[in-house]
Amino acid sequence: MRAIVFDLDGTLLEFDRPYERVLADAITAAGGRATDETLEAYFDAFSERFRACEPDPIRGAFDAIDVDADPDTLTDSLRTREAQLSQSPENAAADLERLAEDGYRLGVLTNGVREWQLTKLRAAGLEEYVERVVASYDVGAHKPDPAPFERLEARLPADEYAMVGDSDADLEGASAVGWEAHRYSGDGFGELPGVFGWES
């Protein structure tokens, strides 16, 4: 039994506009001020909290900056915008269905807060195709740390694993725990599983 594991942001899902615009739209919709200074302050506050795996890093970041809007309202607005504006690559659902029908176990391994990431996966209609989702916040460590990969292995047993992702953290983390690794180029998943040297 073999498992193919996908990164979420930048791989299974991507935004239809630069993330700065997603954030600005969410802040404006919540009644806040979306200036360049506001966006920079948010990214700084969020990055610090996210790297440390602090609880509720998005709400915490909004609470730490001055945007003239309620942090809970801002958080809900950003969650909604991210789900609405996330898109899957063309034919992604069909490719995932094909891989599952060919006997591959499918999973998602993502840096992020579990429920936040699941919201986007569900909105894109892809949750039904994957057996397990592991988020870095589940284990308190982000890729390329081995902990998320080891948690995925525990939750999705297989003889061999392969990671599909768009970042060095995806590929380096996968290689470090003995997985095959493929950098996603943005052209969909039609070349899977051949890129791993696996026969379908």
Side-chain angles (χ1 to χ4, degrees):
M1 180 70 68
R2 289 166 166 164
I4 300 176
V5 181
F6 297 85
D7 172 52
L8 189 62
D9 297 311
T11 304
L12 274 184
L13 297 178
E14 54 192 1
F15 292 112
D16 69 350
R17 64 199 67 185
Y19 189 74
E20 290 80 2
R21 285 187 56 199
V22 177
L23 176 61
D25 290 347
I27 292 173
T28 301
R33 294 177 295 105
T35 65
D36 290 342
E37 292 75 14
T38 296
L39 301 183
E40 183 177 357
Y42 171 84
F43 285 126
D44 288 344
F46 170 77
S47 296
E48 177 182 350
R49 287 161 176 77
F50 187 78
R51 284 194 300 268
C53 286
E54 291 186 12
D56 299 320
I58 294 166
R59 190 200 181 283
F62 281 129
D63 195 38
I65 64 175
D66 181 16
V67 290
D68 293 337
D70 173 67
D72 288 326
T73 303
L74 288 160
T75 301
D76 290 342
S77 180
L78 183 56
R79 184 196 297 263
T80 298
R81 290 302 184 283
E82 285 200 10
Q84 289 174 338
L85 301 176
S86 291
Q87 300 179 340
S88 59
E90 186 177 1
N91 298 321
D95 283 324
L96 295 179
E97 184 174 21
R98 168 181 57 83
L99 291 168
E101 289 177 349
D102 286 344
Y104 295 97
R105 305 197 73 181
L106 305 181
V108 168
L109 180 55
T110 174
N111 279 351
V113 178
R114 180 178 185 80
E115 285 305 318
W116 193 279
Q117 299 295 73
L118 284 174
T119 296
K120 294 186 291 186
L121 191 65
R122 290 167 183 153
L126 298 181
E127 185 184 26
E128 65 180 287
Y129 300 106
V130 299
E131 294 184 58
R132 296 289 184 270
V133 176
V134 170
S136 59
Y137 260 70
D138 294 343
V139 297
H142 303 303
K143 296 176 288 185
D145 190 283
F149 295 88
E150 292 167 352
R151 175 66 64 86
L152 193 288
E153 289 180 350
R155 297 198 63 214
L156 189 69
D159 300 314
E160 295 181 85
Y161 294 85
M163 179 81 204
V164 181
D166 67 317
S167 72
D168 290 343
D170 294 320
L171 276 61
E172 291 170 4
S175 296
V177 295
W179 293 16
E180 298 290 335
H182 171 65
R183 186 180 294 276
Y184 179 63
S185 64
D187 295 328
F189 309 113
E191 57 191 347
L192 302 179
V195 293
F196 306 122
W198 295 350
E199 295 182 2
S200 60

